[in-house]
Short mmCIF file of all heavy atoms in Angstrom, two decimals:
data_model
loop_
_atom_site.label_atom_id
_atom_site.label_comp_id
_atom_site.label_asym_id
_atom_site.label_seq_id
_atom_site.Cartn_x
_atom_site.Cartn_y
_atom_site.Cartn_z
N MET L 1 0.84 -1.19 0.00
CA MET L 1 0.00 0.00 0.00
C MET L 1 0.87 1.24 0.00
O MET L 1 1.96 1.25 0.56
CB MET L 1 -0.90 0.01 1.23
CG MET L 1 -2.09 -0.91 1.08
SD MET L 1 -3.27 -0.89 2.46
CE MET L 1 -3.53 0.78 2.79
N ASN L 2 0.34 2.27 -0.55
CA ASN L 2 1.02 3.55 -0.59
C ASN L 2 0.01 4.63 -0.17
O ASN L 2 -0.54 5.33 -1.02
CB ASN L 2 1.57 3.81 -1.99
CG ASN L 2 2.46 5.02 -2.04
OD1 ASN L 2 2.90 5.50 -1.00
ND2 ASN L 2 2.69 5.54 -3.21
N PRO L 3 -0.24 4.77 1.15
CA PRO L 3 -1.25 5.75 1.59
C PRO L 3 -0.80 7.17 1.31
O PRO L 3 0.40 7.46 1.28
CB PRO L 3 -1.36 5.49 3.09
CG PRO L 3 -0.07 4.87 3.48
CD PRO L 3 0.40 4.10 2.28
N PRO L 4 -1.76 8.07 1.11
CA PRO L 4 -1.41 9.47 0.86
C PRO L 4 -0.86 10.11 2.14
O PRO L 4 -1.07 9.60 3.24
CB PRO L 4 -2.74 10.10 0.46
CG PRO L 4 -3.76 9.28 1.16
CD PRO L 4 -3.21 7.87 1.15
N PRO L 5 -0.16 11.24 2.00
CA PRO L 5 0.30 11.95 3.21
C PRO L 5 -0.91 12.51 3.97
O PRO L 5 -2.00 12.65 3.42
CB PRO L 5 1.17 13.07 2.66
CG PRO L 5 0.74 13.24 1.25
CD PRO L 5 0.23 11.91 0.78
N GLY L 6 -0.70 12.82 5.23
CA GLY L 6 -1.80 13.33 6.05
C GLY L 6 -2.72 12.20 6.46
O GLY L 6 -2.29 11.07 6.64
N CYS L 7 -3.99 12.49 6.57
CA CYS L 7 -4.97 11.47 6.92
C CYS L 7 -5.10 10.49 5.76
O CYS L 7 -5.27 10.88 4.61
CB CYS L 7 -6.32 12.11 7.22
SG CYS L 7 -7.59 10.87 7.59
N ARG L 8 -5.06 9.23 6.05
CA ARG L 8 -5.14 8.20 5.01
C ARG L 8 -6.47 8.20 4.28
O ARG L 8 -6.58 7.64 3.19
CB ARG L 8 -4.92 6.82 5.64
CG ARG L 8 -3.54 6.65 6.20
CD ARG L 8 -3.43 5.34 6.94
NE ARG L 8 -2.12 5.24 7.52
CZ ARG L 8 -1.26 4.28 7.21
NH1 ARG L 8 -1.59 3.35 6.35
NH2 ARG L 8 -0.08 4.26 7.77
N PHE L 9 -7.48 8.79 4.86
CA PHE L 9 -8.82 8.75 4.28
C PHE L 9 -9.24 10.05 3.61
O PHE L 9 -10.35 10.15 3.09
CB PHE L 9 -9.84 8.37 5.35
CG PHE L 9 -9.55 7.02 5.97
CD1 PHE L 9 -8.94 6.93 7.20
CD2 PHE L 9 -9.87 5.86 5.29
CE1 PHE L 9 -8.66 5.69 7.77
CE2 PHE L 9 -9.59 4.62 5.85
CZ PHE L 9 -8.99 4.53 7.09
N HIS L 10 -8.39 11.07 3.61
CA HIS L 10 -8.83 12.38 3.12
C HIS L 10 -9.26 12.37 1.66
O HIS L 10 -10.08 13.18 1.25
CB HIS L 10 -7.76 13.46 3.37
CG HIS L 10 -6.64 13.49 2.39
ND1 HIS L 10 -5.46 12.83 2.61
CD2 HIS L 10 -6.53 14.10 1.19
CE1 HIS L 10 -4.66 13.04 1.58
NE2 HIS L 10 -5.28 13.81 0.70
N THR L 11 -8.77 11.43 0.86
CA THR L 11 -9.15 11.41 -0.55
C THR L 11 -10.57 10.90 -0.78
O THR L 11 -11.14 11.13 -1.84
CB THR L 11 -8.18 10.53 -1.36
OG1 THR L 11 -8.20 9.20 -0.84
CG2 THR L 11 -6.77 11.10 -1.31
N ARG L 12 -11.15 10.24 0.22
CA ARG L 12 -12.50 9.70 0.07
C ARG L 12 -13.45 10.05 1.21
O ARG L 12 -14.55 9.52 1.28
CB ARG L 12 -12.43 8.20 -0.14
CG ARG L 12 -11.76 7.45 0.97
CD ARG L 12 -11.60 5.97 0.58
NE ARG L 12 -11.00 5.18 1.63
CZ ARG L 12 -9.70 4.95 1.76
NH1 ARG L 12 -8.85 5.48 0.91
NH2 ARG L 12 -9.24 4.20 2.73
N CYS L 13 -13.04 10.92 2.09
CA CYS L 13 -13.86 11.30 3.25
C CYS L 13 -14.73 12.50 2.91
O CYS L 13 -14.23 13.54 2.49
CB CYS L 13 -12.96 11.63 4.44
SG CYS L 13 -13.88 12.22 5.87
N PRO L 14 -16.04 12.42 3.14
CA PRO L 14 -16.92 13.56 2.86
C PRO L 14 -16.74 14.71 3.84
O PRO L 14 -17.22 15.81 3.59
CB PRO L 14 -18.33 12.96 2.95
CG PRO L 14 -18.18 11.80 3.88
CD PRO L 14 -16.80 11.25 3.62
N TYR L 15 -16.04 14.49 4.94
CA TYR L 15 -15.82 15.51 5.96
C TYR L 15 -14.42 16.13 5.88
O TYR L 15 -14.06 16.95 6.71
CB TYR L 15 -16.02 14.93 7.36
CG TYR L 15 -17.40 14.41 7.60
CD1 TYR L 15 -17.68 13.05 7.58
CD2 TYR L 15 -18.45 15.28 7.85
CE1 TYR L 15 -18.95 12.58 7.81
CE2 TYR L 15 -19.73 14.82 8.07
CZ TYR L 15 -19.97 13.46 8.06
OH TYR L 15 -21.25 13.00 8.28
N ALA L 16 -13.63 15.75 4.91
CA ALA L 16 -12.23 16.19 4.82
C ALA L 16 -12.10 17.70 4.64
O ALA L 16 -12.90 18.33 3.96
CB ALA L 16 -11.53 15.47 3.68
N LEU L 17 -11.08 18.23 5.28
CA LEU L 17 -10.69 19.64 5.16
C LEU L 17 -9.34 19.71 4.45
O LEU L 17 -8.66 18.69 4.31
CB LEU L 17 -10.52 20.26 6.56
CG LEU L 17 -11.69 20.20 7.50
CD1 LEU L 17 -11.25 20.64 8.89
CD2 LEU L 17 -12.81 21.07 6.99
N ASP L 18 -8.92 20.89 4.07
CA ASP L 18 -7.59 21.05 3.49
C ASP L 18 -6.51 20.55 4.45
O ASP L 18 -5.52 19.95 4.02
CB ASP L 18 -7.32 22.51 3.13
CG ASP L 18 -8.11 22.98 1.92
OD1 ASP L 18 -8.59 22.12 1.14
OD2 ASP L 18 -8.24 24.20 1.76
N ALA L 19 -6.71 20.77 5.73
CA ALA L 19 -5.73 20.36 6.74
C ALA L 19 -5.55 18.84 6.77
O ALA L 19 -4.49 18.36 7.16
CB ALA L 19 -6.14 20.85 8.12
N CYS L 20 -6.55 18.11 6.34
CA CYS L 20 -6.46 16.64 6.37
C CYS L 20 -5.37 16.13 5.43
O CYS L 20 -4.85 15.04 5.62
CB CYS L 20 -7.80 16.03 6.00
SG CYS L 20 -9.13 16.44 7.16
N ARG L 21 -5.00 16.92 4.43
CA ARG L 21 -3.92 16.53 3.52
C ARG L 21 -2.55 16.64 4.18
O ARG L 21 -1.60 16.02 3.74
CB ARG L 21 -3.93 17.42 2.28
CG ARG L 21 -5.08 17.12 1.37
CD ARG L 21 -5.00 17.98 0.15
NE ARG L 21 -6.03 19.01 0.32
CZ ARG L 21 -6.14 20.09 -0.41
NH1 ARG L 21 -5.30 20.33 -1.38
NH2 ARG L 21 -7.11 20.94 -0.20
N ASP L 22 -2.46 17.44 5.24
CA ASP L 22 -1.18 17.71 5.88
C ASP L 22 -0.99 17.05 7.23
O ASP L 22 0.14 16.79 7.63
CB ASP L 22 -1.01 19.22 6.07
CG ASP L 22 -1.09 19.99 4.76
OD1 ASP L 22 -0.56 19.49 3.75
OD2 ASP L 22 -1.70 21.06 4.75
N VAL L 23 -2.08 16.81 7.96
CA VAL L 23 -2.00 16.34 9.33
C VAL L 23 -2.39 14.87 9.42
O VAL L 23 -3.47 14.48 8.99
CB VAL L 23 -2.95 17.16 10.25
CG1 VAL L 23 -2.91 16.63 11.67
CG2 VAL L 23 -2.58 18.63 10.21
N GLU L 24 -1.49 14.06 9.96
CA GLU L 24 -1.83 12.66 10.22
C GLU L 24 -2.44 12.62 11.62
O GLU L 24 -1.75 12.83 12.62
CB GLU L 24 -0.60 11.77 10.15
CG GLU L 24 -0.95 10.32 10.31
CD GLU L 24 0.25 9.41 10.10
OE1 GLU L 24 1.24 9.85 9.48
OE2 GLU L 24 0.18 8.28 10.58
N PRO L 25 -3.75 12.38 11.73
CA PRO L 25 -4.41 12.44 13.04
C PRO L 25 -3.97 11.30 13.95
O PRO L 25 -3.68 10.20 13.49
CB PRO L 25 -5.89 12.33 12.69
CG PRO L 25 -5.94 11.63 11.38
CD PRO L 25 -4.68 12.02 10.66
N GLN L 26 -3.90 11.61 15.22
CA GLN L 26 -3.56 10.63 16.24
C GLN L 26 -4.81 9.90 16.71
O GLN L 26 -5.89 10.49 16.77
CB GLN L 26 -2.90 11.31 17.43
CG GLN L 26 -1.62 12.04 17.08
CD GLN L 26 -0.56 11.10 16.56
OE1 GLN L 26 -0.27 10.08 17.17
NE2 GLN L 26 0.00 11.43 15.41
N LEU L 27 -4.68 8.64 17.04
CA LEU L 27 -5.79 7.87 17.58
C LEU L 27 -6.03 8.33 19.02
O LEU L 27 -5.11 8.29 19.85
CB LEU L 27 -5.46 6.38 17.54
CG LEU L 27 -6.57 5.43 17.95
CD1 LEU L 27 -7.73 5.52 16.95
CD2 LEU L 27 -6.05 4.01 18.01
N VAL L 28 -7.24 8.81 19.30
CA VAL L 28 -7.58 9.27 20.65
C VAL L 28 -8.91 8.65 21.08
O VAL L 28 -9.74 8.29 20.24
CB VAL L 28 -7.69 10.81 20.73
CG1 VAL L 28 -6.36 11.47 20.47
CG2 VAL L 28 -8.72 11.35 19.77
N GLN L 29 -9.08 8.54 22.38
CA GLN L 29 -10.34 8.02 22.90
C GLN L 29 -11.37 9.15 22.91
O GLN L 29 -11.18 10.16 23.57
CB GLN L 29 -10.15 7.46 24.30
CG GLN L 29 -11.41 6.82 24.85
CD GLN L 29 -11.15 5.98 26.07
OE1 GLN L 29 -10.46 4.98 26.00
NE2 GLN L 29 -11.73 6.39 27.19
N ILE L 30 -12.43 8.98 22.15
CA ILE L 30 -13.48 9.98 22.04
C ILE L 30 -14.53 9.79 23.12
O ILE L 30 -15.04 10.74 23.72
CB ILE L 30 -14.13 9.91 20.64
CG1 ILE L 30 -13.08 10.16 19.56
CG2 ILE L 30 -15.28 10.90 20.51
CD1 ILE L 30 -12.39 11.52 19.64
N LYS L 31 -14.89 8.54 23.36
CA LYS L 31 -15.82 8.13 24.42
C LYS L 31 -15.23 6.86 25.01
O LYS L 31 -14.32 6.27 24.41
CB LYS L 31 -17.20 7.83 23.83
CG LYS L 31 -17.89 9.00 23.18
CD LYS L 31 -19.22 8.55 22.58
CE LYS L 31 -19.87 9.70 21.84
NZ LYS L 31 -21.11 9.29 21.18
N PRO L 32 -15.73 6.41 26.16
CA PRO L 32 -15.19 5.15 26.70
C PRO L 32 -15.26 4.02 25.66
O PRO L 32 -16.32 3.79 25.06
CB PRO L 32 -16.09 4.87 27.90
CG PRO L 32 -16.54 6.23 28.34
CD PRO L 32 -16.71 7.01 27.06
N ASN L 33 -14.13 3.39 25.41
CA ASN L 33 -14.01 2.30 24.44
C ASN L 33 -14.37 2.68 23.01
O ASN L 33 -14.73 1.83 22.21
CB ASN L 33 -14.85 1.09 24.89
CG ASN L 33 -14.37 0.53 26.20
OD1 ASN L 33 -13.17 0.34 26.38
ND2 ASN L 33 -15.28 0.29 27.11
N HIS L 34 -14.29 3.95 22.67
CA HIS L 34 -14.54 4.44 21.30
C HIS L 34 -13.37 5.33 20.92
O HIS L 34 -13.21 6.41 21.46
CB HIS L 34 -15.85 5.23 21.26
CG HIS L 34 -16.19 5.73 19.90
ND1 HIS L 34 -17.47 5.74 19.43
CD2 HIS L 34 -15.44 6.23 18.89
CE1 HIS L 34 -17.48 6.24 18.19
NE2 HIS L 34 -16.25 6.54 17.86
N PHE L 35 -12.59 4.85 19.98
CA PHE L 35 -11.40 5.56 19.55
C PHE L 35 -11.57 6.04 18.12
O PHE L 35 -12.26 5.41 17.32
CB PHE L 35 -10.17 4.65 19.64
CG PHE L 35 -9.82 4.27 21.05
CD1 PHE L 35 -10.48 3.23 21.68
CD2 PHE L 35 -8.86 4.96 21.75
CE1 PHE L 35 -10.18 2.88 22.98
CE2 PHE L 35 -8.54 4.62 23.05
CZ PHE L 35 -9.20 3.58 23.67
N ALA L 36 -10.95 7.15 17.79
CA ALA L 36 -11.01 7.68 16.43
C ALA L 36 -9.73 8.46 16.14
O ALA L 36 -9.09 8.98 17.05
CB ALA L 36 -12.22 8.59 16.27
N ALA L 37 -9.39 8.51 14.88
CA ALA L 37 -8.25 9.31 14.42
C ALA L 37 -8.78 10.28 13.37
O ALA L 37 -8.85 9.95 12.19
CB ALA L 37 -7.17 8.41 13.83
N CYS L 38 -9.23 11.44 13.83
CA CYS L 38 -9.84 12.42 12.94
C CYS L 38 -9.70 13.81 13.55
O CYS L 38 -10.04 14.01 14.72
CB CYS L 38 -11.31 12.11 12.72
SG CYS L 38 -12.17 13.28 11.64
N ILE L 39 -9.20 14.76 12.77
CA ILE L 39 -9.06 16.12 13.30
C ILE L 39 -10.39 16.84 13.40
O ILE L 39 -10.48 17.88 14.01
CB ILE L 39 -8.06 16.95 12.48
CG1 ILE L 39 -8.56 17.17 11.05
CG2 ILE L 39 -6.69 16.32 12.51
CD1 ILE L 39 -7.74 18.17 10.25
N ARG L 40 -11.44 16.31 12.79
CA ARG L 40 -12.75 16.95 12.81
C ARG L 40 -13.50 16.72 14.11
O ARG L 40 -14.49 17.38 14.38
CB ARG L 40 -13.61 16.45 11.65
CG ARG L 40 -13.13 16.83 10.26
CD ARG L 40 -13.18 18.32 9.97
NE ARG L 40 -14.36 18.99 10.39
CZ ARG L 40 -15.50 19.07 9.71
NH1 ARG L 40 -15.61 18.51 8.54
NH2 ARG L 40 -16.53 19.74 10.20
N ILE L 41 -13.05 15.77 14.94
CA ILE L 41 -13.73 15.49 16.19
C ILE L 41 -12.74 15.49 17.34
O ILE L 41 -11.53 15.46 17.14
CB ILE L 41 -14.50 14.15 16.14
CG1 ILE L 41 -13.56 12.99 15.82
CG2 ILE L 41 -15.64 14.23 15.14
CD1 ILE L 41 -14.23 11.63 15.86
N SER L 42 -13.28 15.53 18.55
CA SER L 42 -12.47 15.51 19.76
C SER L 42 -13.32 14.94 20.88
O SER L 42 -14.54 14.81 20.73
CB SER L 42 -12.01 16.93 20.12
OG SER L 42 -13.11 17.70 20.54
N PRO L 43 -12.74 14.63 22.04
CA PRO L 43 -13.55 14.17 23.16
C PRO L 43 -14.63 15.19 23.55
O PRO L 43 -15.72 14.82 23.97
CB PRO L 43 -12.54 13.96 24.28
CG PRO L 43 -11.27 13.66 23.57
CD PRO L 43 -11.31 14.53 22.34
N GLU L 44 -14.31 16.48 23.38
CA GLU L 44 -15.28 17.52 23.73
C GLU L 44 -16.37 17.67 22.66
O GLU L 44 -17.46 18.11 22.94
CB GLU L 44 -14.57 18.87 23.91
CG GLU L 44 -13.59 18.91 25.05
CD GLU L 44 -12.26 18.23 24.73
OE1 GLU L 44 -11.85 18.21 23.55
OE2 GLU L 44 -11.64 17.70 25.67
N GLN L 45 -16.05 17.34 21.42
CA GLN L 45 -16.99 17.43 20.30
C GLN L 45 -16.91 16.13 19.49
O GLN L 45 -16.34 16.09 18.41
CB GLN L 45 -16.67 18.63 19.41
CG GLN L 45 -16.91 19.95 20.11
CD GLN L 45 -16.60 21.11 19.19
OE1 GLN L 45 -15.52 21.19 18.61
NE2 GLN L 45 -17.54 22.02 19.07
N PRO L 46 -17.53 15.04 20.00
CA PRO L 46 -17.37 13.74 19.36
C PRO L 46 -18.27 13.50 18.15
O PRO L 46 -18.03 12.58 17.39
CB PRO L 46 -17.71 12.76 20.48
CG PRO L 46 -18.67 13.52 21.34
CD PRO L 46 -18.20 14.95 21.29
N ASP L 47 -19.31 14.29 17.95
CA ASP L 47 -20.26 14.06 16.87
C ASP L 47 -19.90 14.92 15.66
O ASP L 47 -20.15 16.12 15.65
CB ASP L 47 -21.68 14.36 17.33
CG ASP L 47 -22.74 13.97 16.32
OD1 ASP L 47 -22.39 13.63 15.17
OD2 ASP L 47 -23.92 14.01 16.67
N ILE L 48 -19.35 14.31 14.62
CA ILE L 48 -18.88 15.07 13.46
C ILE L 48 -20.01 15.84 12.78
O ILE L 48 -19.79 16.90 12.20
CB ILE L 48 -18.14 14.15 12.47
CG1 ILE L 48 -17.29 15.00 11.52
CG2 ILE L 48 -19.10 13.26 11.71
CD1 ILE L 48 -16.25 14.22 10.76
N ASP L 49 -21.22 15.34 12.84
CA ASP L 49 -22.34 16.04 12.21
C ASP L 49 -22.72 17.32 12.94
O ASP L 49 -23.44 18.16 12.41
CB ASP L 49 -23.56 15.12 12.10
CG ASP L 49 -23.35 14.03 11.06
OD1 ASP L 49 -22.78 14.34 9.99
OD2 ASP L 49 -23.74 12.89 11.31
N ARG L 50 -22.22 17.48 14.15
CA ARG L 50 -22.52 18.70 14.93
C ARG L 50 -21.35 19.68 14.98
O ARG L 50 -21.46 20.75 15.54
CB ARG L 50 -22.92 18.32 16.35
CG ARG L 50 -24.22 17.57 16.38
CD ARG L 50 -24.62 17.26 17.78
NE ARG L 50 -25.83 16.45 17.74
CZ ARG L 50 -26.71 16.40 18.71
NH1 ARG L 50 -26.51 17.09 19.80
NH2 ARG L 50 -27.76 15.65 18.60
N VAL L 51 -20.23 19.29 14.40
CA VAL L 51 -19.05 20.17 14.37
C VAL L 51 -19.27 21.20 13.28
O VAL L 51 -19.75 20.89 12.19
CB VAL L 51 -17.77 19.35 14.10
CG1 VAL L 51 -16.57 20.26 13.93
CG2 VAL L 51 -17.53 18.35 15.22
N ALA L 52 -18.92 22.43 13.58
CA ALA L 52 -19.08 23.51 12.60
C ALA L 52 -18.32 23.19 11.32
O ALA L 52 -17.24 22.62 11.36
CB ALA L 52 -18.60 24.84 13.19
N ARG L 53 -18.91 23.57 10.22
CA ARG L 53 -18.27 23.34 8.92
C ARG L 53 -16.88 23.99 8.91
O ARG L 53 -16.72 25.15 9.24
CB ARG L 53 -19.13 23.93 7.82
CG ARG L 53 -18.61 23.63 6.46
CD ARG L 53 -19.55 24.15 5.43
NE ARG L 53 -19.33 23.38 4.22
CZ ARG L 53 -20.04 23.50 3.14
NH1 ARG L 53 -21.03 24.34 3.09
NH2 ARG L 53 -19.77 22.77 2.10
N GLY L 54 -15.89 23.24 8.51
CA GLY L 54 -14.53 23.76 8.44
C GLY L 54 -13.78 23.73 9.76
O GLY L 54 -12.61 24.09 9.80
N ASP L 55 -14.44 23.31 10.85
CA ASP L 55 -13.78 23.30 12.15
C ASP L 55 -12.99 22.01 12.34
O ASP L 55 -13.32 20.98 11.76
CB ASP L 55 -14.81 23.44 13.27
CG ASP L 55 -14.20 23.82 14.60
OD1 ASP L 55 -13.02 24.21 14.63
OD2 ASP L 55 -14.90 23.74 15.61
N ALA L 56 -11.94 22.07 13.13
CA ALA L 56 -11.10 20.91 13.42
C ALA L 56 -10.77 20.87 14.91
O ALA L 56 -9.64 21.14 15.31
CB ALA L 56 -9.84 20.95 12.57
N PRO L 57 -11.76 20.55 15.76
CA PRO L 57 -11.49 20.54 17.20
C PRO L 57 -10.44 19.53 17.61
O PRO L 57 -9.79 19.70 18.63
CB PRO L 57 -12.85 20.22 17.82
CG PRO L 57 -13.65 19.60 16.73
CD PRO L 57 -13.14 20.18 15.46
N GLY L 58 -10.24 18.50 16.84
CA GLY L 58 -9.20 17.52 17.16
C GLY L 58 -7.80 18.11 17.11
O GLY L 58 -6.91 17.66 17.81
N LEU L 59 -7.59 19.12 16.31
CA LEU L 59 -6.29 19.79 16.29
C LEU L 59 -6.09 20.59 17.57
O LEU L 59 -5.01 20.60 18.14
CB LEU L 59 -6.17 20.72 15.08
CG LEU L 59 -6.04 20.05 13.73
CD1 LEU L 59 -5.97 21.11 12.63
CD2 LEU L 59 -4.84 19.15 13.67
N ARG L 60 -7.12 21.28 18.02
CA ARG L 60 -7.01 22.08 19.26
C ARG L 60 -6.77 21.19 20.46
O ARG L 60 -5.95 21.51 21.31
CB ARG L 60 -8.27 22.92 19.46
CG ARG L 60 -8.39 24.07 18.51
CD ARG L 60 -9.48 25.02 18.93
NE ARG L 60 -10.77 24.40 18.94
CZ ARG L 60 -11.56 24.23 17.87
NH1 ARG L 60 -11.15 24.62 16.69
NH2 ARG L 60 -12.73 23.66 17.98
N SER L 61 -7.47 20.07 20.56
CA SER L 61 -7.32 19.21 21.73
C SER L 61 -5.96 18.54 21.78
O SER L 61 -5.53 18.08 22.82
CB SER L 61 -8.43 18.16 21.78
OG SER L 61 -8.32 17.26 20.71
N ASN L 62 -5.26 18.49 20.64
CA ASN L 62 -3.90 17.94 20.60
C ASN L 62 -2.85 19.02 20.72
O ASN L 62 -1.67 18.76 20.52
CB ASN L 62 -3.69 17.14 19.32
CG ASN L 62 -4.45 15.85 19.34
OD1 ASN L 62 -4.66 15.26 20.38
ND2 ASN L 62 -4.90 15.40 18.18
N GLY L 63 -3.26 20.26 20.94
CA GLY L 63 -2.33 21.35 21.11
C GLY L 63 -1.78 21.92 19.82
O GLY L 63 -0.80 22.64 19.83
N VAL L 64 -2.41 21.62 18.70
CA VAL L 64 -1.97 22.13 17.41
C VAL L 64 -2.80 23.35 17.05
O VAL L 64 -4.02 23.34 17.18
CB VAL L 64 -2.13 21.05 16.31
CG1 VAL L 64 -1.72 21.59 14.95
CG2 VAL L 64 -1.34 19.81 16.66
N LYS L 65 -2.14 24.41 16.63
CA LYS L 65 -2.87 25.61 16.21
C LYS L 65 -3.65 25.35 14.93
O LYS L 65 -3.16 24.64 14.05
CB LYS L 65 -1.92 26.78 16.01
CG LYS L 65 -1.32 27.28 17.30
CD LYS L 65 -0.50 28.52 17.05
CE LYS L 65 0.04 29.04 18.37
NZ LYS L 65 0.77 30.27 18.18
N THR L 66 -4.85 25.93 14.84
CA THR L 66 -5.69 25.67 13.69
C THR L 66 -5.75 26.87 12.74
O THR L 66 -6.59 26.92 11.87
CB THR L 66 -7.13 25.34 14.14
OG1 THR L 66 -7.65 26.42 14.89
CG2 THR L 66 -7.16 24.07 14.94
N GLY L 67 -4.88 27.82 12.87
CA GLY L 67 -4.91 29.00 12.02
C GLY L 67 -4.91 28.65 10.55
O GLY L 67 -4.12 27.84 10.09
N GLY L 68 -5.86 29.22 9.81
CA GLY L 68 -5.95 29.00 8.38
C GLY L 68 -6.78 27.80 7.98
O GLY L 68 -7.05 27.57 6.83
N TYR L 69 -7.21 27.01 8.92
CA TYR L 69 -8.02 25.85 8.60
C TYR L 69 -9.42 26.18 9.03
O TYR L 69 -10.28 25.63 9.29
CB TYR L 69 -7.53 24.59 9.28
CG TYR L 69 -6.11 24.22 8.93
CD1 TYR L 69 -5.27 23.70 9.88
CD2 TYR L 69 -5.61 24.40 7.66
CE1 TYR L 69 -3.97 23.36 9.57
CE2 TYR L 69 -4.31 24.06 7.34
CZ TYR L 69 -3.50 23.54 8.31
OH TYR L 69 -2.20 23.20 8.00
#
């Protein structure tokens, strides 16, 4: 396999942002026994359908600045 840089799913994800091409998301626990690797969600905002369009709370919760995204 030859996955793309950044998030491996950004080429086929309907929720992908420009930042997804650059950031490889870390696997984090979103809820008890529920893990995800996505910059669009975070433990504080686990429901991607409720996250503001263009927002990436997963970057903030990992201490990464979201300027420009």
Side-chain angles (χ1 to χ4, degrees):
M1 282 183 47
N2 189 15
C7 178
R8 295 173 183 241
F9 300 101
H10 80 266
T11 59
R12 59 187 182 268
C13 176
Y15 298 103
L17 303 170
D18 288 341
C20 298
R21 288 182 255 168
D22 302 321
V23 178
E24 184 174 340
Q26 299 298 309
L27 186 65
V28 295
Q29 184 166 296
I30 300 299
K31 297 177 184 177
N33 297 314
H34 181 141
F35 294 82
C38 179
I39 65 170
R40 294 294 316 276
I41 58 176
S42 69
E44 296 78 29
Q45 293 181 307
D47 187 351
I48 198 165
D49 289 320
R50 294 183 184 206
V51 175
R53 185 176 204 174
D55 196 13
L59 289 179
R60 288 192 298 278
S61 66
N62 289 329
V64 178
K65 291 186 178 183
T66 59
Y69 301 142

